[in-house]
């Protein structure tokens, strides 16, 4: 049986991180569907579960490996970033240590360390200075 499965996946995408996330989403939606008492929400969760599972199977059996690899990279960059410190999660972690301001004249985001009291901030792009509490 293992040999048949291996032959089926030759030249195909197989299982990657996006497929695992889709499978987890399908299981969570299925559990939610079984526990929810509101009928409309239960139907919605059931169809989301079916769509996630179907998309997972289609991606796993896809022959277009390059496109599936790009989809997986976009998924990973959403959570991990293209390189360290640029992902969504890293930005949320930085908010603990830094305060983010927008320049009043040009709108560029500026990052200053937290806990320094009232400081004078100079915009890197336009050179405007303004005072903010960090």
């Amino acid at each position: 049986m293992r040999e048949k499965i291996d032959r089926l996946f030759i030249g195909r995408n197989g299982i990657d991180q996006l497929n695992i996330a889709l499978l987890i989403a399908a299981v969570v939606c299925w559990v939610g569907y079984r526990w929810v008492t509101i009928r409309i929400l239960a139907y919605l969760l059931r169809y989301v579960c079916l769509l996630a599972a179907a998309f997972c199977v289609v991606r796993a059996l896809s022959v277009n490996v390059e496109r599936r690899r790009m989809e997986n990279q976009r998924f990973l960059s959403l959570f991990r970033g293209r390189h360290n410190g640029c992902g969504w999660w890293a930005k949320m972690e930085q908010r603990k240590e830094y305060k983010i301001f927008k320049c009043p004249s040009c709108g560029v985001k500026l990052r200053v360390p937290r806990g320094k009291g009232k400081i004078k901030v100079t915009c890197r792009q336009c050179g405007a200075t303004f005072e903010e509490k960090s």
Side-chain angles (χ1 to χ4, degrees), residues 10-29:
I10 291 175
R12 298 184 189 271
N13 185 50
I15 306 297
D16 56 9
Q17 290 89 350
L18 179 54
N19 275 10
I20 292 169
L22 284 169
L23 190 60
I24 290 170
V27 169
V28 167
C29 287

Side-chain angles (χ1 to χ4, degrees), residues 21-130:
L22 284 169
L23 190 60
I24 290 170
V27 169
V28 167
C29 287
W30 181 76
V31 169
Y33 155 71
R34 303 300 287 167
W35 284 82
V36 168
T37 58
I38 302 169
R39 180 178 258 176
I40 236 50
L41 186 59
Y43 283 131
L44 178 69
L45 285 173
R46 185 169 93 189
Y47 288 118
V48 169
C49 171
L50 290 173
L51 284 173
F55 192 54
C56 181
V57 170
V58 168
R59 286 193 81 252
L61 297 176
S62 175
V63 181
N64 192 349
V65 177
E66 183 61 27
R67 186 165 180 177
R68 302 293 91 83
R69 187 188 64 76
M70 288 173 48
E71 289 172 355
N72 192 46
Q73 286 301 322
R74 276 183 279 175
F75 169 74
L76 291 176
S77 71
L78 181 66
F79 290 100
R80 295 185 190 162
R82 288 180 185 81
H83 49 82
N84 290 338
C86 286
W88 173 81
W89 188 258
K91 288 179 184 176
M92 289 297 113
E93 288 293 318
Q94 281 185 5
R95 292 199 182 254
K96 294 177 185 174
E97 298 174 26
Y98 298 98
K99 182 125 182 187
I100 310 292
F101 297 113
K102 275 192 175 181
C103 175
S105 60
C106 67
V108 170
K109 289 184 180 178
L110 304 168
R111 184 180 79 163
V112 297
R114 286 190 179 271
K116 300 292 183 185
K118 212 166 200 181
I119 59 172
K120 202 178 254 191
V121 181
T122 304
C123 179
R124 295 168 296 180
Q125 190 167 353
C126 67
T129 59
F130 54 98

